Short mmCIF file of all heavy atoms in Angstrom, two decimals:
data_model
loop_
_atom_site.label_atom_id
_atom_site.label_comp_id
_atom_site.label_asym_id
_atom_site.label_seq_id
_atom_site.Cartn_x
_atom_site.Cartn_y
_atom_site.Cartn_z
N VAL A 1 9.84 43.74 15.15
CA VAL A 1 8.38 43.77 15.10
C VAL A 1 7.99 42.97 13.87
O VAL A 1 8.40 43.30 12.75
CB VAL A 1 7.85 45.21 14.98
CG1 VAL A 1 6.33 45.20 14.83
CG2 VAL A 1 8.26 46.05 16.19
N THR A 2 7.23 41.89 14.07
CA THR A 2 6.88 41.06 12.91
C THR A 2 5.71 41.68 12.15
O THR A 2 4.73 42.12 12.74
CB THR A 2 6.55 39.62 13.34
OG1 THR A 2 5.53 39.63 14.35
CG2 THR A 2 7.78 38.92 13.87
N THR A 3 5.83 41.70 10.83
CA THR A 3 4.85 42.31 9.95
C THR A 3 4.67 41.46 8.70
O THR A 3 5.39 40.48 8.49
CB THR A 3 5.31 43.71 9.51
OG1 THR A 3 6.44 43.58 8.63
CG2 THR A 3 5.72 44.58 10.70
N MET A 4 3.72 41.85 7.87
CA MET A 4 3.54 41.18 6.58
C MET A 4 4.82 41.16 5.75
O MET A 4 5.11 40.19 5.06
CB MET A 4 2.47 41.91 5.77
CG MET A 4 1.07 41.38 5.86
SD MET A 4 0.06 42.29 4.66
CE MET A 4 -1.36 41.20 4.57
N GLU A 5 5.56 42.26 5.86
CA GLU A 5 6.72 42.41 4.99
C GLU A 5 7.89 41.52 5.37
O GLU A 5 8.67 41.11 4.50
CB GLU A 5 7.20 43.87 5.00
CG GLU A 5 6.23 44.86 4.38
CD GLU A 5 5.23 45.45 5.37
OE1 GLU A 5 5.00 44.83 6.44
OE2 GLU A 5 4.65 46.50 5.07
N ASN A 6 8.05 41.21 6.67
CA ASN A 6 9.25 40.48 7.09
C ASN A 6 8.98 39.07 7.60
O ASN A 6 9.84 38.45 8.19
CB ASN A 6 10.02 41.28 8.16
CG ASN A 6 9.23 41.46 9.45
OD1 ASN A 6 8.22 40.80 9.69
ND2 ASN A 6 9.70 42.36 10.31
N SER A 7 7.77 38.57 7.37
CA SER A 7 7.41 37.22 7.84
C SER A 7 6.84 36.40 6.68
O SER A 7 6.27 36.95 5.74
CB SER A 7 6.37 37.30 8.96
OG SER A 7 6.86 38.07 10.05
N THR A 8 6.98 35.08 6.80
CA THR A 8 6.49 34.19 5.75
C THR A 8 5.40 33.24 6.24
O THR A 8 4.90 32.44 5.46
CB THR A 8 7.64 33.34 5.16
OG1 THR A 8 8.20 32.53 6.20
CG2 THR A 8 8.72 34.23 4.57
N ARG A 9 5.05 33.32 7.50
CA ARG A 9 3.97 32.52 8.07
C ARG A 9 3.28 33.35 9.14
O ARG A 9 3.76 34.40 9.55
CB ARG A 9 4.49 31.21 8.68
CG ARG A 9 5.05 30.20 7.68
CD ARG A 9 3.98 29.66 6.75
NE ARG A 9 4.48 28.64 5.85
CZ ARG A 9 5.09 28.86 4.69
NH1 ARG A 9 5.31 30.11 4.30
NH2 ARG A 9 5.48 27.86 3.93
N CYS A 10 2.13 32.86 9.61
CA CYS A 10 1.40 33.53 10.68
C CYS A 10 1.31 32.62 11.90
O CYS A 10 1.65 31.44 11.84
CB CYS A 10 -0.01 33.89 10.19
SG CYS A 10 -0.05 35.20 8.94
N LYS A 11 0.85 33.17 13.00
CA LYS A 11 0.61 32.38 14.19
C LYS A 11 -0.51 31.37 13.93
O LYS A 11 -1.42 31.67 13.17
CB LYS A 11 0.21 33.28 15.36
CG LYS A 11 1.28 34.24 15.83
CD LYS A 11 0.76 35.06 17.00
CE LYS A 11 1.81 36.01 17.54
NZ LYS A 11 1.30 36.78 18.69
N PRO A 12 -0.46 30.20 14.53
CA PRO A 12 0.49 29.73 15.55
C PRO A 12 1.63 28.88 14.99
O PRO A 12 2.26 28.15 15.73
CB PRO A 12 -0.41 28.86 16.44
CG PRO A 12 -1.35 28.22 15.47
CD PRO A 12 -1.63 29.29 14.43
N SER A 13 1.90 29.01 13.70
CA SER A 13 2.92 28.17 13.07
C SER A 13 4.26 28.24 13.80
O SER A 13 4.81 29.32 14.03
CB SER A 13 3.13 28.61 11.62
OG SER A 13 4.28 28.03 11.07
N ALA A 14 4.78 27.07 14.15
CA ALA A 14 6.11 27.01 14.78
C ALA A 14 7.15 27.62 13.86
O ALA A 14 8.13 28.22 14.32
CB ALA A 14 6.46 25.58 15.13
N ASP A 15 6.96 27.48 12.54
CA ASP A 15 7.91 28.06 11.59
C ASP A 15 7.98 29.58 11.75
O ASP A 15 9.05 30.18 11.63
CB ASP A 15 7.51 27.71 10.16
CG ASP A 15 7.73 26.25 9.83
OD1 ASP A 15 8.52 25.58 10.54
OD2 ASP A 15 7.11 25.76 8.87
N TYR A 16 6.82 30.20 12.00
CA TYR A 16 6.80 31.65 12.23
C TYR A 16 7.62 32.01 13.45
O TYR A 16 8.46 32.92 13.42
CB TYR A 16 5.36 32.14 12.39
CG TYR A 16 5.26 33.44 13.15
CD1 TYR A 16 5.62 34.64 12.55
CD2 TYR A 16 4.83 33.46 14.48
CE1 TYR A 16 5.57 35.84 13.26
CE2 TYR A 16 4.77 34.66 15.19
CZ TYR A 16 5.14 35.84 14.58
OH TYR A 16 5.09 37.02 15.28
N TYR A 17 7.38 31.31 14.55
CA TYR A 17 8.10 31.62 15.78
C TYR A 17 9.60 31.37 15.63
O TYR A 17 10.43 32.20 16.05
CB TYR A 17 7.54 30.78 16.94
CG TYR A 17 6.23 31.29 17.46
CD1 TYR A 17 5.02 30.75 17.02
CD2 TYR A 17 6.18 32.33 18.37
CE1 TYR A 17 3.80 31.22 17.50
CE2 TYR A 17 4.97 32.82 18.85
CZ TYR A 17 3.79 32.26 18.41
OH TYR A 17 2.59 32.74 18.88
N LEU A 18 9.97 30.24 15.06
CA LEU A 18 11.39 29.90 14.93
C LEU A 18 12.11 30.88 14.01
O LEU A 18 13.24 31.30 14.28
CB LEU A 18 11.54 28.47 14.42
CG LEU A 18 11.09 27.39 15.41
CD1 LEU A 18 11.12 26.02 14.73
CD2 LEU A 18 11.97 27.38 16.66
N ALA A 19 11.46 31.26 12.91
CA ALA A 19 12.08 32.22 11.99
C ALA A 19 12.24 33.59 12.65
O ALA A 19 13.25 34.27 12.44
CB ALA A 19 11.24 32.35 10.72
N SER A 20 11.26 33.97 13.46
CA SER A 20 11.32 35.28 14.13
C SER A 20 12.47 35.35 15.12
O SER A 20 13.26 36.31 15.12
CB SER A 20 9.99 35.56 14.84
OG SER A 20 8.92 35.63 13.91
N ILE A 21 12.60 34.33 15.98
CA ILE A 21 13.68 34.39 16.97
C ILE A 21 15.04 34.15 16.33
O ILE A 21 16.05 34.64 16.83
CB ILE A 21 13.43 33.42 18.14
CG1 ILE A 21 13.49 31.97 17.68
CG2 ILE A 21 12.11 33.74 18.82
CD1 ILE A 21 13.49 30.98 18.85
N ALA A 22 15.07 33.44 15.20
CA ALA A 22 16.34 33.24 14.48
C ALA A 22 16.88 34.58 13.99
O ALA A 22 18.10 34.78 13.93
CB ALA A 22 16.15 32.27 13.32
N LYS A 23 15.99 35.50 13.63
CA LYS A 23 16.42 36.82 13.20
C LYS A 23 17.14 37.56 14.33
O LYS A 23 17.93 38.47 14.08
CB LYS A 23 15.22 37.64 12.72
CG LYS A 23 14.63 37.14 11.41
CD LYS A 23 13.34 37.87 11.07
CE LYS A 23 12.73 37.29 9.81
NZ LYS A 23 11.39 37.87 9.52
N MET A 24 16.85 37.17 15.56
CA MET A 24 17.49 37.78 16.72
C MET A 24 18.69 36.95 17.19
O MET A 24 19.33 37.29 18.19
CB MET A 24 16.48 37.90 17.86
CG MET A 24 15.27 38.76 17.52
SD MET A 24 13.98 38.70 18.81
CE MET A 24 14.79 39.60 20.14
#
């Protein structure tokens, strides 16, 4: 679950999406 605490960008940044799925 992406939150303020575990993310460094917000939508729609591709960096946000790529970092999120990389964690998986």
Side-chain angles (χ1 to χ4, degrees):
V1 176
T2 54
T3 69
M4 265 187 163
E5 294 90 339
N6 64 14
S7 302
T8 62
R9 293 294 184 275
C10 291
K11 295 181 178 181
S13 167
D15 289 340
Y16 157 75
Y17 284 97
L18 292 173
S20 297
I21 66 170
K23 290 173 183 174
M24 300 172 69

